């Protein structure tokens, strides 16, 4: 079997000159083979940049677009192809967007392998530890404490036993942050599992440590990305300041960045995104690194049903992977792009024994939002 073509599909809900909210654009990658199998992957990053990284012609031995490296190769040699892409995109890749693009292709290759061998991806990864995975719902808070209460109330009623909020106004003003956390905590009750995500907006150690202490009485499960992941010294100082665990890492790529983050930032929880960190292949290595460090891995995931399917297959194959993120985005790219989207029921998703990712793409949604 040989790879014959790679197609990059950019999707975007608002027009190109309007701003996107989280989850309103996406990039899908399809890998085609000479025996008719097609693998699907995605990356949660800038779609146009992924296209460029995949379609760029070769510049020199260390600087090649990914497609040129893969045409004619056997898609079943997944690790060998990962290494080839990493090595030969050295100048444009190694971290960041280069690895994001590789992630999409890696996921598509696992999709192909599962179809070829006719066993689920979790079996190829070593076996299934669980039939369902607990999920936490992520929502963007309303502008007022009352609006945030209402969203939290609805999600609790849907059966979630764990929730997180972030984005929107969170992180803009310390007093407003305090009021929103207070309100949501009041709404959910003191024992409900609740975490917040600052998307690095607290900026400095001094501000973050002050907020950790101010929010201590609200019994937060974790506080995510209070500051930029590059500021690993401050992360390390924030660990253990209060009972709230410290989480981060959604923007990091490869085992190398996670090795440093685990060693120097000492987070309680790492949150690689399978569509950014290097795909399923690299996620396995990051999981092992985290486990060796006594750190829990809770995958980040806030894009389409393709990401969701890949994350479920991976996490089911890990010994301790019993919690993952479940987007509450109302974007059609989350709700409708995959017509058989894995639903959350009573705070869990099931682990399907499907062949491949098992996602059915809604061609009408693709046609409607495709960037032409
Ligand atoms: Mg986050």
């Amino acid at each position: 079997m040989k790879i014959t073509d790679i197609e990059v599909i950019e999707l975007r809900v608002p027009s190109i000159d309007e701003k996107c909210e989280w989850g309103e654009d996406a990039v899908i990658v399809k890998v085609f083979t000479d025996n008719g199998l097609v693998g699907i992957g995605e990356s949660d990053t800038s779609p146009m940049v992924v296209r460029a990284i995949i379609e760029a012609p070769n510049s020199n031995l260390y600087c090649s677009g990914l497609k040129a490296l893969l045409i004619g190769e056997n898609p079943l040699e997944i690790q060998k192809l990962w290494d080839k892409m990493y090595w030969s995109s050295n100048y444009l890749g190694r971290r960041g967007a280069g690895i994001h693009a590789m992630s999409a292709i890696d996921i598509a290759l696992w999709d192909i392998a599962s179809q070829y061998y006719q066993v689920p991806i979790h079996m190829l990864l070593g076996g299934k530890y669980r039939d369902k995975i607990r999920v936490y719902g992520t929502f963007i808070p309303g502008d007022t404490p009352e609006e945030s209460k209402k969203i939290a109330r609805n999600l609790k009623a849907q059966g979630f036993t764990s929730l997180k909020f972030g984005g929107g106004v969170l992180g803009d003003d310390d007093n407003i942050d305090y009021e929103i956390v207070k309100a949501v905590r009041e709404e959910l009750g003191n024992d409900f599992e609740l975490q917040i995500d600052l998307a690095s907006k607290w900026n400095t150690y001094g501000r973050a440590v002050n907020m950790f202490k101010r929010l201590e009485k609200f019994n937060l499960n974790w506080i995510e990305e209070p500051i930029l992941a590059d500021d690993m010294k401050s992360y390390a100082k924030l660990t253990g300041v209060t009972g709230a665990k410290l989480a981060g890492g959604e923007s990091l790529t490869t085992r190398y960045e996670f090795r440093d983050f685990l060693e120097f930032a000492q987070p309680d929880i790492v949150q690689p995104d399978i569509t950014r960190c290097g795909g399923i292949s690299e996620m396995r290595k990051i999981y092992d690194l985290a486990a060796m460090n006594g750190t829990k891995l809770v995958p980040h995931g806030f894009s389409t049903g393709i990401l969701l399917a890949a994350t479920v297959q991976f996490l089911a194959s890990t010994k301790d992977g019993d919690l993952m993120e479940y987007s509450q985005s109302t974007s059609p790219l989350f709700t409708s792009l995959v017509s058989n989207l894995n639903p959350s029921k009573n705070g869990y998703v099931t682990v399907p024994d499907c062949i491949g990712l098992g996602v059915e793409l809604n061609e009408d949604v693709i046609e409607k939002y495709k960037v032409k």
Side-chain angles (χ1 to χ4, degrees):
M1 184 165 49
K2 284 187 167 52
I3 296 171
T4 53
D5 196 12
I6 298 177
E7 183 187 4
V8 180
I9 302 166
E10 298 172 55
L11 302 171
R12 185 179 176 93
V13 178
S15 69
I16 209 90
D17 50 359
E18 286 177 310
K19 267 196 174 176
C20 265
E21 182 61 83
W22 301 100
E24 286 189 323
D25 70 354
V27 57
I28 306 172
V29 170
K30 287 187 180 175
V31 176
F32 296 88
T33 62
D34 61 356
N35 69 356
L37 297 181
V38 180
I40 296 170
E42 83 155 307
S43 179
D44 182 8
T45 188
S46 173
M48 193 186 282
V49 173
V50 164
R51 177 186 295 287
I53 290 168
I54 290 176
E55 295 181 352
N58 161 279
S59 296
N60 60 52
L61 121 136
Y62 256 175
C63 190
S64 179
L66 303 180
K67 182 171 166 175
L69 299 168
L70 296 179
I71 299 298
E73 293 283 2
N74 181 348
L76 300 176
E77 296 185 301
I78 301 176
Q79 186 60 49
K80 195 175 144 189
L81 296 184
W82 199 101
D83 295 340
K84 183 182 187 184
M85 288 190 283
Y86 186 75
W87 203 86
S88 303
S89 65
N90 188 295
Y91 286 174
L92 65 95
R94 288 182 58 250
R95 305 289 183 268
I99 303 298
H100 300 165
M102 280 177 54
S103 305
I105 289 173
D106 180 84
I107 292 167
L109 296 182
W110 282 98
D111 188 19
I112 290 170
S114 172
Q115 294 173 59
Y116 180 82
Y117 294 116
Q118 286 290 299
V119 294
I121 293 172
H122 58 67
M123 287 294 282
L124 293 177
L125 295 173
K128 184 169 71 163
Y129 276 95
R130 54 197 68 81
D131 294 316
K132 58 180 188 172
I133 300 172
R134 186 167 171 244
V135 291
Y136 71 86
T138 297
F139 67 94
I140 297 169
D143 290 342
T144 66
E146 275 314 307
E147 287 172 61
S148 301
K149 270 188 166 187
K150 196 174 153 198
I151 301 169
R153 189 181 315 141
N154 288 338
L155 292 174
K156 191 181 177 185
Q158 282 175 35
F160 282 106
T161 58
S162 182
L163 290 173
K164 180 180 91 181
F165 63 92
V169 297
L170 199 74
D172 290 343
D173 179 288
D174 292 358
N175 292 331
I176 292 173
D177 291 351
Y178 180 93
E179 290 304 325
I180 295 177
V181 173
K182 180 170 179 274
V184 173
R185 174 50 84 201
E186 274 169 14
E187 179 62 42
L188 296 172
N190 206 40
D191 295 332
F192 193 95
E193 193 171 281
L194 176 65
Q195 36 273 349
I196 60 170
D197 180 359
L198 275 305
S200 313
K201 279 160 78 178
W202 282 343
N203 293 318
T204 63
Y205 168 75
R207 184 175 170 197
V209 76
N210 181 45
M211 288 305 289
F212 266 69
K213 288 177 180 165
R214 277 185 78 185
L215 299 176
E216 184 167 19
K217 62 180 136 185
F218 299 124
N219 187 30
L220 292 169
N221 180 36
W222 79 63
I223 297 177
E224 176 173 329
E225 295 205 311
I227 50 178
L228 210 58
D230 290 330
D231 187 1
M232 292 189 272
K233 248 187 193 171
S234 296
Y235 258 88
K237 285 192 288 181
L238 286 167
T239 303
V241 160
T242 67
K245 295 190 246 338
L246 182 62
E250 71 183 71
S251 65
L252 304 179
T253 62
T254 75
R255 77 202 86 144
Y256 304 106
E257 281 195 334
F258 278 93
R259 174 195 60 192
D260 291 348
F261 191 63
L262 285 161
E263 184 176 346
F264 300 117
Q266 298 172 22
D268 300 296
I269 293 166
V270 283
Q271 303 168 293
D273 184 312
I274 206 160
T275 71
R276 294 181 194 144
C277 72
I280 293 171
S281 301
E282 197 68 358
M283 190 74 145
R284 300 174 83 184
K285 298 182 169 79
I286 294 163
Y287 174 84
D288 284 341
L289 276 175
M292 285 165 66
N293 215 63
T295 303
K296 192 170 177 69
L297 185 150
V298 181
H300 175 269
F302 202 86
S303 189
T304 79
I306 302 170
L307 172 151
L308 180 63
T311 303
V312 167
Q313 290 294 322
F314 159 74
L315 207 59
S317 76
T318 65
K319 189 166 142 298
D320 301 312
D322 55 7
L323 180 68
M324 57 179 275
E325 181 165 26
Y326 198 93
S327 170
Q328 293 303 307
S329 171
T330 54
S331 165
L333 301 184
F334 178 66
T335 60
S336 316
L337 174 69
V338 169
S339 43
N340 60 342
L341 182 74
N342 193 340
S344 72
K345 275 191 202 135
N346 298 319
Y348 285 87
V349 290
T350 56
V351 179
D353 292 319
C354 55
I355 297 302
L357 292 173
V359 291
E360 290 162 19
L361 296 181
N362 183 331
E363 293 300 331
D364 294 339
V365 171
I366 292 177
E367 202 42 48
K368 186 167 177 192
Y369 298 112
K370 197 170 177 175
V371 178
K372 288 165 182 127

